[in-house]
Amino acid sequence: MSHEDSARKNHDDIVQYSATRPFWGRLTNWQPYRLLLTFATASPRRQFIILAAFPLLWLLTQHLGPMIQMARVSLLESYPVAQGAPQNFTLDNYIRFFGDHIFWMPFFRTLTFAAVFTFCTLILTYPVAYFLARHVSRHNQMLMLLILLIPFWVGEIVRTYAIMILLGNTGAVNLALKWLGLIERPIPFMYTSFSMGLGIVYLTALYMLLPLYSALEKLPKSYTEVAADLGAGAWTRFRRITLPLTIEGISSGCTLVFLISTGFYATPVLLGGPSTTVFAETIAGFFHYAGDEWPTGAAFAVIMFAAALFITGLFQKLMKALRRGDTK
Amino acid sequence: MNRSNRIVLACVYWAFVLYVFVPLILMILMGFKDSKFIGFPIRSWTLDWYYSIFSDAEILYTFGYSMLIAILSTLISVVIGTWLALLLEGRKFWGWAVTFGLMVLPALVPGIISAIAFRIYARWLGIEPGMGAIIWAHAVHNVPFVSLVVMARLSTLPKSQTEAARDLGADPLVAFLRITLPYLVPSILGASIFCMLLSFDDFVRSFFLGGYEETLPVLIFAMLRSGMSPEINAIATIALVLTAAIGIWAERFTRRTNKESQL
């Protein structure tokens, strides 16, 4: 076949292609498109830059930007900075937190509550995840997991309100207890750390359940069967095999739930009382006004985020050490 | 031994199901109570609370406002989240880990801190609190969820498919538009539904970035602070039915398309 022939054949192909796929054919034969494409794909490097430029710009300005701006405002002496006035940077906003112990109480309460609630969520959801992953047939697993997903699509405020109705003085729990004759006067569940805990565990349970479930599901059944053949009891099997091999799921679930728990604002406001004020409410307090308190609020938010990250970092290190220790 | 274990675990599972369902069921029941007073027992039933909602223009407007915010913010998140997934999945480049870390950052920042960081940044950019600010904050917050879902799907696309398209003469863009993108569609749709639910349900960002108009969760929060009433139950029930129905539909849809593409 001569050169000319092959060129004609090629041309025929393109024409045929255009005829069967008018849109794509027309697009790929369109001159400006071809020029643009030749320019964009001239080198792998240029192709990568075109792919990466916009997302990277987005990450820096939209994901990182708010964090950096918050850190900057937390160091300002006053905000908003008056026109023409110099920006004075200061550490006073941070010193204010360490200098005044009325801020410490909600701060440590938030971290303690978050840790306790995370632990409760773990204890509550581990058996559920274990049951789903190890004792339910493949087909039913999806269905039974789906049942659990439904309530978690419902918003934070609606679920918080549902807990308020459950636990109120004329709520379902008190009614049931009275009907059973266990109590005469309603127990004041609401506006305590109990109601807050129940609400927060309710909101975060799924974020624990899913990592645990996927860790347990990956664990081959044969591992525990072999251990059983070798004479290990149920508890030993769990402690020596299942638990160490699902520590990754535990670690990521706990990290997620801890971070989420420290950030709740509406739930503590609605379910908690004066004795359970959390740091989120303290921070929010600085933002109810026009702006003169913003630097303090920003500093407090930075302190809380740093503390939460420090604790989760420490926790993950500990989990890693545990895993290494157990598999040795 | 194993059998009794199994029974105990099954009981724990069903107890957990009760824990997550009972509060919502009680809340729904309370919306039909024929009395202004919230509390059990319920002696007579009514639909009045629903009538009053559907004749209240302000509440209906709030529903529409929240939905509009959910749709617009989802459009932004989906485009950027998918783009990020294409950049991150199956590619190794200098700074990959940092890029990935930045991508998931908005999902890991605790709610209140994320809300005030957005509030400060919006003011710096000169965005007034209101609809635009809420859409922007929701869009940024939801990007990681889209990226993670799309990345998971993209990792299962056999490389041979795009390579075959390229061998047959498709340029990179056509190969992307005709092979990769259609393959990603189920995950993109699933992620959009999830984003819409996140946006529709979000309280803390809408609260701190909202202007005078309230989104639905902010409205319910404000009503709750001034006292409980069965009207709130009715509003919450409608929101619940809406979100749960959309969620179930999306779950079934993604499951079905996943199964089809496996065949």
Side-chain angles (χ1 to χ4, degrees), chain A residues 24-82:
Chain A
W24 296 104
R26 229 178 298 147
L27 177 72
T28 46
N29 284 327
W30 193 42
Q31 206 55 38
Y33 173 84
R34 304 199 83 145
L35 283 174
L36 211 67
L37 196 79
T38 338
F39 170 77
T41 55
S43 68
R45 194 186 158 81
R46 189 178 284 172
Q47 212 175 328
F48 179 75
I49 289 172
I50 286 171
L51 175 69
F54 176 69
L56 290 181
L57 193 73
W58 170 274
L59 288 184
L60 290 176
T61 57
Q62 309 303 316
H63 290 201
L64 194 61
M67 291 288 134
I68 290 184
Q69 184 62 14
M70 181 172 75
R72 194 182 75 92
V73 167
S74 78
L75 291 168
L76 286 176
E77 205 171 76
S78 67
Y79 188 85
V81 181

Side-chain angles (χ1 to χ4, degrees), chain A residues 17 21 24 27-28 33 37 41 47-48 50-52 54-56 58-67 69-70 72-73 79-80 124-125 127-128 130-132 135-136 142-159 161-166 170-172 175 191 197-199 201-202 205 207 209 234 237 256 259-260 262-266 269-270 280-281 283-284 287-288 290-291 294 297-298 301-302 304-305 308, chain B residues 1-2 5-6 9-14 16-17 19-24 26-27 30 37-41 76 79-80 83-84 86-87 91 93 98-100 102-114 116-121 123-125 136 139-140 143-145 166 170-174 177-178 194 197-198 201-204 207-208 217-218 220-221 224-225 228-230 232-233 236-237 239-240 243-244 246-248 251-252 255:
Chain A
Y17 184 69
R21 298 277 178 200
W24 296 104
L27 177 72
T28 46
Y33 173 84
L37 196 79
T41 55
Q47 212 175 328
F48 179 75
I50 286 171
L51 175 69
F54 176 69
L56 290 181
W58 170 274
L59 288 184
L60 290 176
T61 57
Q62 309 303 316
H63 290 201
L64 194 61
M67 291 288 134
Q69 184 62 14
M70 181 172 75
R72 194 182 75 92
V73 167
Y79 188 85
L124 182 73
T125 52
V128 176
Y130 187 87
F131 174 72
L132 280 176
H135 288 287
V136 178
M142 279 302 140
L143 193 74
M144 288 170 89
L145 201 61
L146 186 64
I147 292 175
L148 290 183
L149 286 181
I150 295 167
F152 291 97
W153 284 317
V154 179
E156 174 189 355
I157 299 288
V158 172
R159 275 191 281 158
Y161 181 47
I163 294 285
M164 289 169 81
I165 290 175
L166 183 74
T170 53
L175 181 83
Y191 315 116
L198 199 77
V201 171
Y202 188 28
Y207 296 101
L209 185 72
R237 287 201 301 270
L256 207 57
L259 285 175
I260 294 171
T262 55
F264 278 122
Y265 170 67
V269 167
L270 293 173
E281 293 171 70
I283 294 174
F287 285 85
H288 287 324
W294 281 24
V302 171
M304 187 166 128
F305 193 34
Chain B
M1 183 62 213
N2 212 351
N5 255 353
R6 197 196 148 103
L9 284 170
C11 290
V12 173
Y13 170 82
W14 289 108
F16 185 74
V17 171
Y19 170 52
V20 295
F21 272 97
V22 164
L24 293 176
L26 293 177
M27 190 200 71
M30 197 62 83
F37 175 70
I38 288 279
F40 290 95
I76 303 174
V79 171
I80 291 161
W83 199 332
L84 270 165
L86 291 167
L87 174 67
R91 227 178 274 271
F93 54 88
V98 177
T99 314
F100 184 82
L102 276 181
M103 186 272 284
V104 291
L105 181 71
L108 290 180
V109 179
I112 181 80
I113 296 171
S114 131
I116 67 150
F118 283 134
R119 180 77 186 83
I120 290 172
Y121 199 61
R123 177 147 168 183
W124 187 63
L125 292 176
W136 164 72
V140 176
V143 161
F145 299 99
R166 297 297 307 279
D171 59 56
L173 191 68
V174 170
L177 289 174
R178 300 197 58 195
F194 189 62
L197 292 181
L198 279 178
D201 289 339
D202 177 72
F203 167 76
V204 74
F207 183 68
F208 281 94
V218 178
I220 299 177
F221 180 77
L224 281 177
R225 297 210 78 178
M228 291 153 87
S229 109
I232 306 177
N233 291 63
T237 303
L240 182 157
T243 45
I246 294 173
I248 293 171
E251 190 68 31
R252 285 197 45 169
R255 207 168 296 285

Side-chain angles (χ1 to χ4, degrees), chain B residues 34 177 226 262:
Chain B
D34 190 10
L177 289 174
S226 59
Q262 270 165 19

